[in-house]
Amino acid sequence: MSDADQRSYHHGDLRQALLDRAAEVIQSRGIEALTLRGLARDLKVSHGAPNRHFSCKADLLTAIATEGYSQLMRATLSAANDVGNDPWVRLNAMGQGFVHWALNNTAQFNTTMHPDLSLYESAELKQATEAFRLTIKEAVAATQELGNHSEEDLETLNLFTISVPMGAAMLLTQKDGLATHVKRDKLVADLIELVVPIRERTS
Amino acid sequence: MSDADQRSYHHGDLRQALLDRAAEVIQSRGIEALTLRGLARDLKVSHGAPNRHFSCKADLLTAIATEGYSQLMRATLSAANDVGNDPWVRLNAMGQGFVHWALNNTAQFNTTMHPDLSLYESAELKQATEAFRLTIKEAVAATQELGNHSEEDLETLNLFTISVPMGAAMLLTQKDGLATHVKRDKLVADLIELVVPIRERTS
DNA sequence: AATCAATGTAGACAGCGACTACATTGATCG
DNA sequence: CGATCAATGTAGTCGCTGTCTACATTGATT
């Protein structure tokens, strides 16, 4: 469908094209500067066409965030599956996978973190968010049964475990932040090691 | 000046009134719904009056964030000064103070986390941000000298230490259920204890 | 008392969100 | 096969917003 972008009266896959272009605009000019009419111009469709897929800007942002959570969950699960069955090693990989996904998809990540989203109360987004959090929570619980802060309340341990990759991704994706660090992979690995230590286990 | 809001041709302190009202609007209707003209209506001034203080919406958001970082630094330093001189205990208190400030000032906190801010490249905001981060970094360094992950790179340890309150505040301000949690103080204390443990030291 | 910089007002214009009525098309089904 | 129809795109409109300009008011300075 990617080469049917220009030809016919109908676009082919305008919805996805809008989501993709929106990510580019957010990256370069920010969420505030994102406009439905601007996207329509960029994709050479009429100014009303985007409304067939997103009734308003809030709808568009919600959809980007929903897609973002979906991608983020896939990325973290994929990272876990790459490292075997040890719950500790898996949770560590998920944390690293989180940060790497955020750094590789800053526009989507920033949109998922947009504070307005909770006001829109989208059922779709809520479901994607909860699915992701549940995935993390199960992984945290699995390590706790193996002795990861076994005395701690799971709720607290879970909050702690998610906060590190999330907070770090926030800081690292900000342009002037610590993003210019030389060895990103090492920094992320060292960081997550402080939350879910595995080096003694894998050595 | 707070009672000169209505009378004269000149407002008295329109700038601060705009900042205060903006925080209310952000809280109730979100950053996207915030408009300069809307603020002007709320404060019964002409639609162009806000431009004398904030040339555009980006300027306003930047100012809110700058004020936010300033308040956040005061809050964390104040929390540290309340607990004495032990660097561990101080850093722990700063972490808790961070989260509590964020939960008590969700509009300002969310604005400081707005991903667009880094694109605006405000020197004023950058200075406030750096001042805050330096404060934290010094506190982290002080604990490292006393054995807090002394083998770790300070950059990594600092990222870890900031990420927890930042990420937790992000999560807790969205999930409105936990923000008003009865045992909020305990949750925050337990959380920060996982980053900067002090209970063995103070018992 | 005159002056002036700061601050507020009024008007104008283009761009945007959001709605409506209308047009085109590919898929479905008799 | 050809008619039908839901999905999707177009064109027009309206009120609101950002942003600029010219003008008005006022408190402070001298």
Side-chain angles (χ1 to χ4, degrees):
Chain A
M1 288 293 174
S2 59
D3 46 3
D5 287 2
Q6 300 249 356
R7 302 281 166 187
S8 56
Y9 185 93
H10 286 87
H11 179 280
D13 195 1
L14 181 56
R15 186 189 146 94
Q16 192 58 48
L18 287 165
L19 290 173
D20 294 344
R21 178 61 188 156
E24 293 177 14
V25 173
I26 289 172
Q27 179 100 32
S28 60
R29 295 171 46 216
I31 295 177
E32 289 281 332
L34 179 70
T35 67
L36 292 172
R37 287 175 103 109
L39 293 177
R41 274 194 303 273
D42 295 346
L43 299 177
K44 320 246 197 249
V45 293
S46 69
H47 68 263
N51 290 100
R52 292 288 170 196
H53 304 277
F54 308 106
S55 69
C56 58
K57 187 177 174 182
D59 249 37
L60 174 62
L61 292 177
T62 299
I64 296 171
T66 303
E67 192 191 35
Y69 270 111
S70 173
Q71 287 184 23
L72 179 55
M73 188 161 76
R74 279 214 313 277
T76 54
L77 280 177
S78 166
N81 289 334
D82 284 349
V83 294
N85 292 319
D86 183 337
W88 286 77
V89 180
R90 286 176 65 85
L91 182 59
N92 183 293
M94 291 172 81
Q96 294 193 50
F98 186 134
V99 180
H100 284 301
W101 179 84
L103 295 180
N104 290 332
N105 302 271
T106 57
Q108 277 107 326
F109 174 69
N110 284 333
T111 307
T112 62
M113 295 294 106
H114 196 292
D116 284 6
L117 290 179
S118 56
L119 293 171
Y120 302 156
E121 293 185 347
S122 155
E124 202 182 24
L125 173 59
K126 189 164 188 171
Q127 186 178 3
T129 306
E130 289 304 320
F132 173 67
R133 291 192 183 156
L134 185 62
T135 302
I136 305 288
K137 196 169 188 173
E138 287 171 352
V140 171
T143 65
Q144 191 175 34
E145 289 186 8
L146 297 181
N148 182 15
H149 292 285
S150 51
E151 78 291 348
E152 197 65 61
D153 183 26
L154 175 59
E155 212 58 52
T156 308
L157 180 61
N158 189 42
L159 181 61
F160 170 65
T161 310
I162 302 190
S163 291
V164 173
M166 178 171 292
M170 291 287 311
L171 287 163
L172 294 175
T173 52
Q174 280 173 13
K175 208 174 181 180
D176 53 330
L178 312 168
T180 54
H181 200 276
V182 209
K183 293 189 173 181
R184 175 178 124 179
D185 290 356
K186 177 178 178 347
L187 175 64
V188 173
D190 288 351
L191 173 71
I192 303 299
E193 178 74 16
L194 290 169
V195 191
V196 186
I198 60 166
R199 284 178 187 160
E200 290 183 359
R201 301 175 69 85
T202 56
S203 61
Chain B
M1 287 298 175
S2 59
D3 47 3
D5 288 359
Q6 302 249 353
R7 301 282 166 187
S8 57
Y9 185 93
H10 287 86
H11 180 280
D13 194 1
L14 181 56
R15 187 189 145 93
Q16 192 58 47
L18 287 164
L19 290 173
D20 294 345
R21 178 60 188 156
E24 293 177 15
V25 173
I26 289 172
Q27 180 100 30
S28 59
R29 293 171 47 216
I31 295 177
E32 289 281 331
L34 179 69
T35 68
L36 292 171
R37 287 176 103 109
L39 293 177
R41 275 194 301 274
D42 295 346
L43 299 177
K44 320 247 196 252
V45 293
S46 68
H47 68 265
N51 290 99
R52 292 287 171 197
H53 304 277
F54 309 105
S55 69
C56 58
K57 187 177 174 184
D59 248 37
L60 174 62
L61 291 178
T62 298
I64 296 171
T66 303
E67 191 191 36
Y69 270 111
S70 173
Q71 286 184 24
L72 179 54
M73 188 163 76
R74 278 215 314 276
T76 54
L77 280 177
S78 167
N81 289 334
D82 285 348
V83 293
N85 292 318
D86 183 338
W88 286 78
V89 180
R90 286 175 63 86
L91 183 59
N92 182 293
M94 291 171 80
Q96 293 193 51
F98 185 134
V99 179
H100 284 300
W101 179 84
L103 295 180
N104 290 333
N105 302 272
T106 57
Q108 276 108 325
F109 173 68
N110 285 332
T111 307
T112 62
M113 296 293 106
H114 196 292
D116 285 5
L117 290 180
S118 58
L119 293 172
Y120 303 156
E121 293 186 346
S122 155
E124 201 182 25
L125 174 58
K126 188 165 190 170
Q127 185 178 4
T129 307
E130 289 305 320
F132 173 67
R133 290 190 185 159
L134 185 61
T135 302
I136 304 289
K137 196 170 189 172
E138 287 172 351
V140 171
T143 64
Q144 191 175 34
E145 289 186 8
L146 297 181
N148 182 15
H149 293 284
S150 50
E151 78 292 347
E152 197 65 61
D153 182 27
L154 174 59
E155 213 57 54
T156 307
L157 180 61
N158 189 42
L159 181 60
F160 170 66
T161 310
I162 302 191
S163 291
V164 173
M166 178 171 293
M170 292 285 312
L171 287 163
L172 293 174
T173 52
Q174 288 177 8
K175 207 174 178 180
D176 45 7
L178 280 178
T180 57
H181 200 272
V182 193
K183 299 175 180 174
R184 175 178 123 179
D185 291 355
K186 176 176 173 4
L187 175 64
V188 173
D190 288 351
L191 173 72
I192 302 298
E193 178 72 17
L194 290 170
V195 192
V196 186
I198 60 167
R199 284 178 186 159
E200 290 184 0
R201 302 175 68 86
T202 56
S203 63

